[in-house]
Amino acid sequence: MSDRNIISFENIKIACKSCSLVTLCLPMGLEPDDMDRLDRIIKRSRPLHRGDHLFRESDKFQCLYIVKTGSVKTYAPSEDGGEQVLGFHLPGELIGLDAIENATHNCSAKVLETSAICEIPFNHLEELSTSMPSLQHQMYRLLSREISQDENMLTLLGKNNAEERLAAFLMSLSGRFKRRGFSPYDFYLSMSRHEIGNYLGLAVETVSRLFTRFQEEGLLEVERKHIQLIDLERLAQVARRTHSDRGRIQST
Amino acid sequence: MSDRNIISFENIKIACKSCSLVTLCLPMGLEPDDMDRLDRIIKRSRPLHRGDHLFRESDKFQCLYIVKTGSVKTYAPSEDGGEQVLGFHLPGELIGLDAIENATHNCSAKVLETSAICEIPFNHLEELSTSMPSLQHQMYRLLSREISQDENMLTLLGKNNAEERLAAFLMSLSGRFKRRGFSPYDFYLSMSRHEIGNYLGLAVETVSRLFTRFQEEGLLEVERKHIQLIDLERLAQVARRTHSDRGRIQST
DNA sequence: GAGAATTCTTGATCCAAATCAATCTTATAA
DNA sequence: TTATAAGATTGATTTGGATCAAGAATTCTC
């Protein structure tokens, strides 16, 4: 836990300004000085492992979390042991914004694979944003974006059928991977079919059948967690298809 | 548009501190001085009428809106003329928070009945919140609350059946009316069956049938837009029923 | 106040996706 | 290495709610 060892976890604790995520993470667009001030309140924990929790529903709200590497799912547990998956979070994405209001977490956050996480004590962040208009602005933007995303998801669940939901999900992942410098065509899913189905309001079996169908239709290749998107254009068409133009198959 | 006439619309333009909504609206919890400063940037327009728009999707984002009296629906229009209703907004509720991120409205807001609306230029609000930590805090809270509410809605759409969705919707309205000093048992719906169905991801016919069924089961009395909740307790049970305890009918 | 246009209700039918069931595959444990 | 469990796939069956259809009630409009 010191600098005794060069190959220590300290090495992953690089400052925001040298972090590859800086262009899409919380410090995005801050001046170097401001970034340093923010940097000082951010804690970087040692890697968490599959199944570890960042927080659980009804925990006291202390920190926001940012995925640095790996992935995290957030979910609302129900009394009967079930859950609703609320989101999957990739590097650079902020987690815990829904807890500010009543100072308690409304959902749980569980690590899907070995992940490095940045931790930001919210009271410090809020204090800092008081004296840093650009940070305040960034916070408003990120909170607002979260709302937009949830609204998109509401539309997806309210209006789109199974096929469209899965296609939209894959397109979303693809785009997010791309922005992070990963391949938008070839990636591994860190979540199970069950979790995908839960997130999209579908049964596992439906998700499984759709993957098979998409493969048969030449949209993608799938082998367990490994996804290769073959025809991004057509997949996008399936994803944005609404009610009125179901069934139409467009050629590219 | 002056003080020529005592019975003019100017009369509805009362300051926040004399507004009955002050305990659940944006200025909630602000010090009197701070409230005055906020008050000065708020514009109060003359009443809008059924069908009027506060803003439309892709409009430039300028202002947040607060319902003072009446009600408003927000919805995401789709290319094919359809829409997804995103929310119904009652007095004291803030509208437009999803537009901060990209400075453009992602949804449209339409007045459901004659309504008075307060208008808050966001650039002024943001500026003010820079020098007013309590206002900044309140903004974080309201943004965060919006996220929580959307997440609840995601769970409702992802996990609950038609019956549970409508019950939850009615319970939500009831609670919100109560907090505003209206009867939680007896109210008028300002939205159509079609809009309720759209919001809840259901067909109009399903909504209509459920109202009939709820009435038959003695949960409520319904006559067109007029709703009287007879058995709030049992309605709440239906609303919070999850997957695992479908069908069980609990007596109170 | 008649006629048109919505909105709402109710019934009949259909279908997308859930559920049930079985097998297969891949991880984890002993 | 073999058990054992968990995850994924595929098929058969069921079903909740959509869709189709028609009529009734209400509200707009001229």
Side-chain angles (χ1 to χ4, degrees):
Chain A
M1 191 80 61
S2 67
D3 49 13
R4 263 179 294 156
N5 193 345
I6 286 176
I7 309 167
S8 82
F9 284 129
E10 298 299 312
N11 291 335
I12 64 157
K13 301 188 180 180
I14 54 170
C16 289
K17 59 182 162 194
S18 13
C19 177
S20 64
L21 296 169
V22 72
T23 55
L24 42 75
C25 188
L26 176 60
M28 177 187 120
L30 296 190
E31 297 294 321
D33 282 0
D34 288 346
M35 208 179 289
D36 285 339
R37 290 174 66 196
L38 174 60
D39 217 11
R40 256 171 256 134
I41 68 166
I42 296 181
K43 294 186 249 175
R44 292 164 181 93
S45 68
R46 56 184 54 250
L48 298 179
H49 299 102
R50 180 173 171 72
D52 290 346
H53 274 84
L54 298 184
F55 54 80
R56 286 168 199 271
E57 193 219 13
S58 83
D59 279 359
K60 184 153 181 285
F61 170 58
Q62 308 268 18
C63 292
L64 294 176
Y65 300 84
I66 299 176
V67 182
K68 194 185 178 74
T69 64
S71 54
V72 173
K73 79 163 177 183
T74 46
Y75 63 99
S78 60
E79 314 78 52
D80 58 329
E83 63 183 53
Q84 170 68 41
V85 174
L86 297 171
F88 300 109
H89 306 272
L90 301 186
E93 295 177 346
L94 207 47
I95 300 171
L97 292 172
D98 59 341
I100 297 172
E101 199 233 332
N102 57 0
T104 302
H105 285 288
N106 303 307
C107 64
S108 303
K110 193 192 255 188
V111 168
L112 291 170
E113 62 192 312
T114 302
S115 301
I117 307 290
C118 297
E119 218 175 295
I120 311 166
F122 183 71
N123 54 354
H124 290 167
L125 180 63
E126 190 174 5
E127 203 179 355
L128 201 59
S129 74
T130 302
S131 66
M132 206 192 289
S134 57
L135 180 59
Q136 180 193 264
H137 185 70
Q138 178 69 349
M139 282 298 292
Y140 288 155
R141 287 191 33 153
L142 290 172
L143 282 153
S144 174
R145 175 157 68 184
E146 191 76 18
I147 296 168
S148 292
Q149 285 167 354
D150 286 347
E151 287 174 352
N152 273 338
M153 201 61 200
L154 287 178
T155 303
L156 197 71
L157 294 186
K159 289 279 168 302
N160 294 104
N161 67 18
E163 189 178 63
E164 291 153 5
R165 292 184 205 184
L166 186 63
F169 172 68
L170 292 171
M171 287 307 297
S172 163
L173 278 185
S174 172
R176 285 149 80 198
F177 283 130
K178 187 178 183 185
R179 252 168 285 135
R180 281 156 187 80
F182 303 120
S183 169
Y185 306 110
D186 189 314
F187 48 83
Y188 284 81
L189 300 172
S190 59
M191 68 294 288
S192 68
R193 301 286 190 269
H194 188 88
E195 287 167 322
I196 295 173
N198 187 309
Y199 178 58
L200 298 174
L202 302 173
V204 206
E205 295 93 327
T206 304
V207 174
S208 191
R209 277 185 252 271
L210 284 171
F211 270 125
T212 307
R213 198 199 308 167
F214 283 173
Q215 178 159 268
E216 283 164 3
E217 290 172 348
L219 293 171
L220 48 77
E221 289 288 329
V222 52
E223 208 212 328
R224 288 253 137 176
K225 308 259 174 190
H226 185 200
I227 305 286
Q228 287 173 282
L229 303 182
I230 308 291
D231 195 335
L232 218 61
E233 194 57 47
R234 245 168 75 229
L235 193 65
Q237 278 176 11
V238 174
R240 77 169 148 268
R241 199 153 61 188
T242 49
H243 197 69
S244 63
D245 43 30
R246 293 269 161 75
R248 273 182 230 167
I249 293 147
Q250 287 121 321
S251 57
T252 321
Chain B
M1 194 78 60
S2 66
D3 49 14
R4 264 179 294 156
N5 193 345
I6 285 174
I7 310 168
S8 81
F9 284 128
E10 298 300 312
N11 291 335
I12 64 156
K13 301 189 179 181
I14 53 170
C16 289
K17 60 182 162 194
S18 12
C19 177
S20 64
L21 296 169
V22 72
T23 54
L24 42 75
C25 189
L26 177 60
M28 177 187 121
L30 295 190
E31 297 294 322
D33 282 0
D34 288 345
M35 207 179 290
D36 286 338
R37 290 173 66 195
L38 174 60
D39 216 12
R40 256 172 255 133
I41 69 166
I42 297 182
K43 294 186 249 175
R44 292 164 182 91
S45 67
R46 57 183 54 250
L48 297 179
H49 299 102
R50 180 173 171 71
D52 290 346
H53 273 85
L54 298 184
F55 53 80
R56 286 168 200 272
E57 194 219 13
S58 83
D59 279 359
K60 185 155 181 282
F61 170 57
Q62 308 267 18
C63 292
L64 295 177
Y65 300 86
I66 298 177
V67 183
K68 195 185 179 71
T69 64
S71 54
V72 174
K73 81 163 176 183
T74 45
Y75 63 100
S78 60
E79 314 78 53
D80 58 329
E83 62 183 54
Q84 170 68 42
V85 173
L86 297 171
F88 300 109
H89 306 273
L90 301 186
E93 294 176 347
L94 207 47
I95 301 171
L97 292 172
D98 59 341
I100 298 172
E101 200 233 332
N102 57 359
T104 302
H105 285 288
N106 303 308
C107 64
S108 303
K110 193 192 254 187
V111 168
L112 290 171
E113 62 191 312
T114 301
S115 301
I117 306 290
C118 296
E119 219 176 294
I120 311 166
F122 183 71
N123 53 354
H124 290 166
L125 181 64
E126 190 174 4
E127 203 178 355
L128 201 59
S129 74
T130 303
S131 66
M132 205 192 289
S134 57
L135 179 60
Q136 180 194 263
H137 184 70
Q138 178 68 351
M139 281 298 293
Y140 288 155
R141 287 191 34 154
L142 290 173
L143 283 153
S144 173
R145 175 157 68 185
E146 191 76 17
I147 296 168
S148 292
Q149 285 167 355
D150 286 347
E151 287 175 352
N152 273 337
M153 200 61 200
L154 287 178
T155 303
L156 197 70
L157 294 186
K159 289 281 168 303
N160 293 104
N161 66 18
E163 188 177 64
E164 292 153 4
R165 291 184 205 185
L166 186 63
F169 172 68
L170 292 171
M171 286 307 296
S172 162
L173 279 185
S174 172
R176 284 149 80 197
F177 283 131
K178 187 178 183 185
R179 251 168 285 136
R180 280 156 187 80
F182 303 121
S183 169
Y185 307 109
D186 188 314
F187 48 84
Y188 284 80
L189 300 172
S190 59
M191 68 295 287
S192 68
R193 301 285 191 270
H194 187 87
E195 288 166 322
I196 295 172
N198 187 309
Y199 178 57
L200 297 174
L202 302 173
V204 206
E205 295 94 327
T206 304
V207 175
S208 190
R209 277 185 252 270
L210 284 171
F211 271 125
T212 306
R213 199 199 308 168
F214 283 174
Q215 178 159 267
E216 283 164 3
E217 290 172 348
L219 292 171
L220 49 76
E221 289 288 328
V222 52
E223 208 211 328
R224 289 252 135 178
K225 308 261 173 190
H226 184 201
I227 305 287
Q228 287 172 281
L229 303 183
I230 308 292
D231 195 336
L232 218 62
E233 193 58 47
R234 245 168 75 230
L235 193 66
Q237 278 176 11
V238 175
R240 77 169 147 268
R241 198 152 63 188
T242 49
H243 199 69
S244 63
D245 43 30
R246 294 269 162 75
R248 274 183 230 167
I249 293 148
Q250 287 121 321
S251 57
T252 321

